[in-house]
Amino acid sequence: MAAALLIILGAMALLQVDSLSDKKFLLLPPVNFTIKVTGLAQVLLSWEPNPDQEQKKVNLEYKVKINAPQEDDYETKNTESKCVTVLHKGFSASVQTILKNSQPLQESSWVSAELKAPPGSLGTSVVNLTCTTNTVASNSTDFWPYQISLHCTWLVGEEAPEDTQYFLYYRYGSWTEECKEYSKDPLNRNIACWFPRTFISGKGRESLAIHVNGSSKHATIKPFDQLFALHSIDRVNPPMNITANIEGTCLSIRWEKPVSAFPIHCFDYEVKIYNTRKGYYQTEKMMTNAFISVIDDVSKYSVQVRAAVSSSCRAMGLWSEWSQPIYVGNDEQKPSVEWLLIVLMATICFALLIFSFICRICHLWTKLFPPVPAPKSNIKDVFVSTYYEKTGSSETEFEVISYVEDAGFEILEDSVF
Ligand SMILES: *[C@@H]1O[C@H](CO)[C@@H](O)[C@H](O)[C@H]1NC(C)=O
Ligand SMILES: *[C@@H]1O[C@H](CO)[C@@H](O)[C@H](O)[C@H]1NC(C)=O
Ligand SMILES: *[C@@H]1O[C@H](CO)[C@@H](O)[C@H](O)[C@H]1NC(C)=O
Ligand SMILES: *[C@@H]1O[C@H](CO)[C@@H](O)[C@H](O)[C@H]1NC(C)=O
């Protein structure tokens, strides 16, 4: 009986300890939560663990929730977190303490902080901002073998006063640069920008931050941020040194990889062959630097190749422009042997036909206009005619002779009709 009582008491004590430990682990939110702008379209969130939090043998972490401009949440062990996002709409985030791997999840209340949106009416910002990058091989004196240029264009905001001037900045990693080469509209407002070289990495995976702010005497110009994924704005160069040759019935095309920081295995290609005689296109996709096509007819071909960085090296982006067309082959029909034979046969038949026709005309002629009998004064003529009559085996010779000698006239009548 006493033993049973002891067990019950013990169990009760245990239960009490359990509920006590639950209370003890009441999680407290972090303190000193701040949001600091550390660059264009980049903020640093930082906080401190709550000094009143008992941390014995507990696995404390933090949950960060981004509320604006775009909702997101993640967990971290650190007490700070970098965040890349547009800031012209303001920024707000919350953080709480959580007990990792607790079931159900034990969590503290939230602490929040925010950055106010910069002043200015929305209509004063630039609109339709588009940017493209391009790779150029740099001069050998440069440390970097490739340079990335950047070109951006935009439209003036509808509510922007006429005296508005816009300024563009880019940030890539920790590098920030202001544009120095602007193009202007008729009101002298900047509407495009060109960076011949940048600190953008040719193979980089970080996003490119663009910030366009502005000034005007009559209004506050609201700045505008946009983040670009490099693969989606990179204008890949077309392949280089394209050659095409026809050997027999093989059209072989070769090319070299485009000017790019990406190595040779990082490219997909498309070859476009245009048969100018038949007027059709053949397009082939490939991963090698050569293509051989069997051609079965004689034609002039125009060959173009384009390239894209393949998905094995980065997210699939845009195709390059087509290379300048190169032409190969010949439009003119080269006569084939059979064709030659047919032509030859036809010519012979035709010649024979004409020949016999002429002969008949001649006969007819002699029939219609019988030659005036001439006195056989020339002994030589007779001699010749006799000679031919004896030796000539063909009718033709005979006929020709018969014209000379009127004696052949009767024979002629037999041969015609
Ligand atoms: C929070 O900030 C205050 C004022 O800057 C500072 O005195 C305090 O030590 C900070 N708390 C912690 C836990 O770092
Ligand atoms: C600007 O962008 C908007 C929406 O993205 C589009 O409807 C409009 O046609 C664009 N304007 C010009 C001039 O491209
Ligand atoms: C290379 O050097 C030449 C002459 O110094 C210059 O004109 C050209 O712009 C340079 N190219 C690049 C990509 O910097
Ligand atoms: C535009 O932004 C840049 C970079 O943040 C800043 O240095 C500059 O003062 C801003 N200009 C205006 C007019 O707001």
Side-chain angles (χ1 to χ4, degrees):
M1 183 66 189
L5 201 68
L6 269 177
I7 290 170
I8 289 168
L9 279 173
M12 280 174 70
L14 271 176
L15 273 173
Q16 259 182 339
V17 167
D18 259 11
S19 62
L20 266 181
S21 77
D22 265 1
K23 276 211 182 93
K24 240 193 206 160
F25 285 161
L26 182 72
L27 292 176
L28 299 172
V31 296
N32 291 5
F33 177 41
T34 58
I35 301 172
K36 200 168 89 188
V37 178
T38 50
L40 299 182
Q42 179 177 267
V43 290
L44 182 70
L45 314 182
S46 55
W47 57 89
E48 297 294 337
N50 194 307
D52 301 331
Q53 180 73 55
E54 287 200 37
Q55 280 199 59
K56 287 171 228 150
K57 67 175 178 169
V58 281
N59 215 350
L60 291 188
E61 286 197 4
Y62 305 96
K63 185 168 180 179
V64 179
K65 193 166 73 173
I66 311 294
N67 309 306
Q70 199 162 24
E71 285 190 5
D72 189 17
D73 60 72
Y74 51 95
E75 290 167 16
T76 175
K77 278 184 178 147
N78 303 328
T79 56
E80 60 178 28
S81 164
K82 196 174 85 174
C83 199
V84 173
T85 181
V86 299
L87 296 176
H88 62 264
K89 296 176 194 156
F91 181 87
S92 105
S94 309
V95 59
Q96 67 177 180
T97 313
I98 57 169
L99 185 58
K100 187 78 180 164
N101 301 328
S102 55
Q103 282 296 339
L105 183 71
Q106 293 199 45
E107 51 192 19
S108 74
S109 56
W110 293 99
V111 283
S112 300
E114 77 171 320
L115 286 179
K116 289 252 178 300
S121 148
L122 208 60
T124 56
S125 296
V126 296
V127 290
N128 296 33
L129 175 66
T130 58
C131 292
T132 54
T133 57
N134 182 242
T135 305
V136 285
S138 73
N139 286 339
S140 51
T141 51
D142 283 310
F143 176 69
W144 304 101
Y146 297 103
Q147 288 171 11
I148 310 295
S149 66
L150 172 66
H151 186 246
C152 294
T153 63
W154 58 88
L155 299 175
V156 170
E158 268 182 18
E159 291 171 32
E162 291 196 350
D163 73 331
T164 302
Q165 193 53 286
Y166 290 114
F167 307 100
L168 182 140
Y169 301 77
Y170 83 84
R171 180 185 59 79
Y172 189 75
S174 55
W175 292 99
T176 301
E177 273 191 296
E178 180 184 357
C179 181
K180 293 184 189 77
E181 293 183 37
Y182 288 105
S183 310
K184 294 167 185 295
D185 73 358
L187 290 172
N188 209 36
R189 298 177 293 193
N190 296 335
I191 51 161
C193 163
W194 163 245
F195 290 91
R197 51 195 298 174
T198 62
F199 290 100
I200 297 168
S201 154
K203 292 190 278 185
R205 288 166 188 271
E206 276 185 73
S207 53
L208 172 71
I210 302 286
H211 177 76
V212 187
N213 58 18
S215 65
S216 158
K217 284 198 185 86
H218 310 290
T220 307
I221 306 300
K222 195 178 179 70
F224 181 78
D225 289 340
Q226 192 162 339
L227 294 166
F228 293 95
L230 287 186
H231 69 267
S232 65
I233 61 164
D234 186 20
R235 290 172 59 100
V236 178
N237 291 303
M240 293 197 304
N241 298 343
I242 297 149
T243 56
N245 291 304
I246 291 179
E247 275 165 36
T249 58
C250 278
L251 168 60
S252 70
I253 305 162
R254 283 168 197 288
W255 59 89
E256 288 170 20
K257 87 169 180 81
V259 171
S260 168
F262 283 101
I264 192 162
H265 69 268
C266 281
F267 289 92
D268 287 338
Y269 298 101
E270 249 182 29
V271 180
K272 185 164 72 174
I273 302 168
Y274 180 62
N275 182 323
T276 55
R277 195 165 64 84
K278 287 189 175 168
Y280 74 77
Y281 285 101
Q282 175 193 358
T283 308
E284 301 288 340
K285 203 173 166 183
M286 45 217 335
M287 295 164 78
T288 55
N289 283 52
F291 175 64
I292 293 176
S293 176
V294 175
I295 49 171
D296 57 359
D297 55 359
V298 177
S299 167
K300 197 169 175 182
Y301 292 90
S302 121
V303 175
Q304 287 173 287
V305 190
R306 65 179 183 176
V309 179
S310 73
S311 50
S312 61
C313 293
R314 76 167 176 199
M316 197 66 194
L318 307 170
W319 283 100
S320 72
E321 297 280 303
W322 287 106
S323 61
Q324 288 297 314
I326 56 166
Y327 296 95
V328 65
N330 207 332
D331 254 344
E332 279 131 51
Q333 184 90 36
K334 265 192 219 144
S336 66
V337 177
E338 302 102 271
W339 185 240
L340 260 179
L341 273 178
I342 290 169
V343 169
L344 197 70
M345 298 288 277
T347 314
I348 290 170
C349 291
F350 187 69
L352 284 175
L353 199 76
I354 292 284
F355 198 63
S356 68
F357 187 65
I358 286 173
C359 294
R360 289 180 180 202
I361 293 270
C362 291
H363 294 175
L364 208 58
W365 187 262
T366 30
K367 211 168 141 188
L368 288 176
F369 307 98
V372 184
K376 292 178 193 171
S377 54
N378 198 337
I379 295 166
K380 200 176 165 191
D381 272 0
V382 178
F383 174 78
V384 169
S385 93
T386 320
Y387 175 73
Y388 274 101
E389 268 173 24
K390 275 182 190 163
T391 59
S393 55
S394 91
E395 200 191 0
T396 320
E397 281 165 356
F398 192 79
E399 282 162 14
V400 172
I401 300 310
S402 69
Y403 185 77
V404 176
E405 247 201 31
D406 59 343
F409 183 54
E410 289 84 358
I411 305 162
L412 271 173
E413 272 190 292
D414 293 358
S415 68
V416 181
F417 310 113

